[in-house]
Amino acid sequence: MTLGALAFVTLTAIGLALPSEGPVRHSIGEQAAFCLAGLLIWAVLALLSRPRVTATETGLTVVNLTSVRRLAWAQVVRVNLRDGDSWASLDLHDGTALPVMAIQPAAGREAAVRRARALRALVDAHAAPDRD
């Protein structure tokens, strides 16, 4: 978020510093484009900073780029992070899979494996007794 704010402030300052008079003139539209570019960069970085997974006594909350999903522990069957996966995923009781973008090997393979194992341990600890 700090980098996004810095990009916005920098590009806004550049846009406002562009001369509107003299031999090289810049229109208000060109100046506004710098401000909008900074705002767009900030918005993209804010979107990329969203992914997280939060565990509570009742279940998990998985926040990806544009979605939030709350799951009871009984809904989660397994946590997966295989070689080549872009991020971890949850196998759900209804046969679907839910990506967990907060656990990405691209940000550090060992850390991602540790986080996936910790999440797997939580899922196993909260598993329903009749679930295999």
Side-chain angles (χ1 to χ4, degrees):
M1 293 303 295
T2 303
L3 290 175
L6 182 62
F8 174 70
V9 168
T10 302
L11 288 173
T12 298
I14 291 170
L16 294 175
L18 291 174
S20 57
E21 296 182 12
V24 179
R25 297 180 186 160
H26 297 279
S27 69
I28 290 180
E30 291 172 319
Q31 293 171 326
F34 273 88
C35 299
L36 289 175
L39 191 59
L40 181 63
I41 290 170
W42 195 357
V44 168
L45 290 175
L47 193 63
L48 291 173
S49 70
R50 278 185 50 123
R52 68 181 180 282
V53 60
T54 306
T56 65
E57 283 299 317
T58 59
L60 291 172
T61 300
V62 178
V63 180
N64 287 325
L65 293 180
T66 59
S67 66
V68 177
R69 180 108 182 251
R70 288 173 182 77
L71 302 164
W73 286 112
Q75 291 177 274
V76 183
V77 176
R78 182 177 24 255
V79 178
N80 295 309
L81 181 60
R82 295 178 285 267
D83 284 336
D85 284 352
S86 297
W87 41 71
S89 65
L90 302 176
D91 289 341
L92 304 180
H93 74 290
D94 63 1
T96 62
L98 177 67
V100 181
M101 297 177 80
I103 302 176
Q104 296 187 20
R109 178 82 183 148
E110 293 80 22
V113 169
R114 274 194 312 275
R115 293 176 73 200
R117 286 182 179 154
L119 185 56
R120 185 177 297 143
L122 283 171
V123 168
D124 292 344
H126 289 89
D130 60 341
R131 189 179 82 190
D132 288 343

